[in-house]
Each structure stands twice: as structure tokens, then as C-alpha cells.
Amino acid sequence: MSLIRRNSVFDPFSLDLWDTFSGFPFGTGSGSLFPRPNSDAAAFAGARIDWKVTPEAHVFKADVPGLKKEEVKVEVEDGNILQISGERSTEHEEKTDKWHRVERSSGKFLRRFRLPDNTKPEQIKASMENGVLTVTVPKEEAKKPDVKPIHITG
């Protein structure tokens, strides 16, 4: 079995914003060649989410380490758009603190997915354990075709 990863740019179900400057070698500060504004859009890539489909449901798993369940929101917009968002606050800095390295990301994240027609968004369940958010969207039962036997005469 092979695993196919889709970039959100080509995934028809993903509604993420795409950062066109992601991966370029220039900085983002005021002294860089092409400074980018400090915005929440820069933190959109912070939450990695897997989406799998089982016979019963669509299951989304998001890595949200260090967040409490109160800091994460799971919402449905327009009946078929699943939205997962949250915010990781920056640590409070004391004047006496001296930082050697800052690598942990902070800021807001937002991921949106267009749910297929065969889902039941009103029955979504979400749980969080060990920094992993699991969102389960049940699927409607497949309609079985109505088959009537026809008696052959003659």
C-alpha cells in the first residue's frame, strides 16, 4: 500500500490559505530583503492534520501539542465545512530572562476541509488525548438499491 500525500494547493477538499513565500531563503523581519508582515496567516501551517476514511466515518487527527482542549475549536460552517482552529500563546518574557534559542511556534492556526455529501455533520464528535485532536464525522449509510423481483411468465 502506498501513501499519497496531497499538497493543500491541489487538494479539492482543502480550503487552507497558501503562503506563497513559504520555503524561500529570505527572512521575515524588518531588515530582510522582502519583509513579510507579522500576521496570523504565517502560523496557518502549524497544525498538521491527517484525514482518513473508514467504512463508518471520516476521521481527522491533528497534532496540537501543548494545547488544552479549551484552546482548540471545532466548528462546522455552512453545513459542510469542517473548521479546526486554535491558538498557542507565546511565553511571557521577564526582563531578567535571557533566551538562548526560540524554536517552538506560537500563534493561531486554522484549517478548513470541505466535507463530502455523505457525511452527518450534526453528529460530529471530537476528543483530545496526549496532544492529538481526533474529530470523527460519521458517514450516512449507503443506500441499497430497491430491487423488486419480476416473475417471468410463459
Side-chain angles (χ1 to χ4, degrees), residues 9 11-12 14 18 43 55-56 60 72 74 119-120 122 126 149:
V9 174
D11 186 352
S14 177
W18 182 46
E56 299 82 28
F60 297 83
V72 177
V74 178
T119 60
K120 297 179 182 179
E122 65 281 353

Side-chain angles (χ1 to χ4, degrees), residues 17-126:
L17 292 181
W18 182 46
D19 184 359
T20 55
F21 295 109
S22 176
F24 279 87
F26 44 81
T28 60
S30 60
S32 67
L33 184 59
F34 298 101
R36 286 189 286 169
N38 184 10
S39 70
D40 294 336
F44 273 78
R48 301 286 185 199
I49 299 178
D50 295 338
W51 178 2
K52 74 176 178 179
V53 181
T54 68
E56 299 82 28
H58 294 267
V59 180
F60 297 83
K61 290 198 175 214
D63 288 340
V64 289
L67 291 182
K68 298 175 192 150
K69 65 181 182 179
E70 297 83 23
E71 298 171 319
V72 177
K73 275 201 238 173
V74 178
E75 302 170 306
V76 176
E77 283 185 2
D78 301 327
N80 70 337
I81 307 293
L82 175 67
Q83 179 171 300
I84 300 171
S85 63
E87 182 172 6
R88 180 175 293 121
S89 302
T90 56
E91 256 184 64
H92 181 69
E93 185 176 338
E94 298 290 331
K95 293 193 186 272
T96 58
D97 293 345
K98 179 180 176 186
W99 292 88
H100 289 278
R101 183 177 299 265
V102 177
E103 293 181 350
R104 296 172 51 221
S105 62
S106 62
K108 295 179 182 181
F109 69 88
L110 171 70
R111 299 291 306 272
R112 301 175 81 197
F113 301 92
R114 186 179 314 278
L115 296 172
D117 291 335
N118 69 340
T119 60
K120 297 179 182 179
E122 65 281 353
Q123 296 179 11
I124 290 177
K125 292 185 180 167

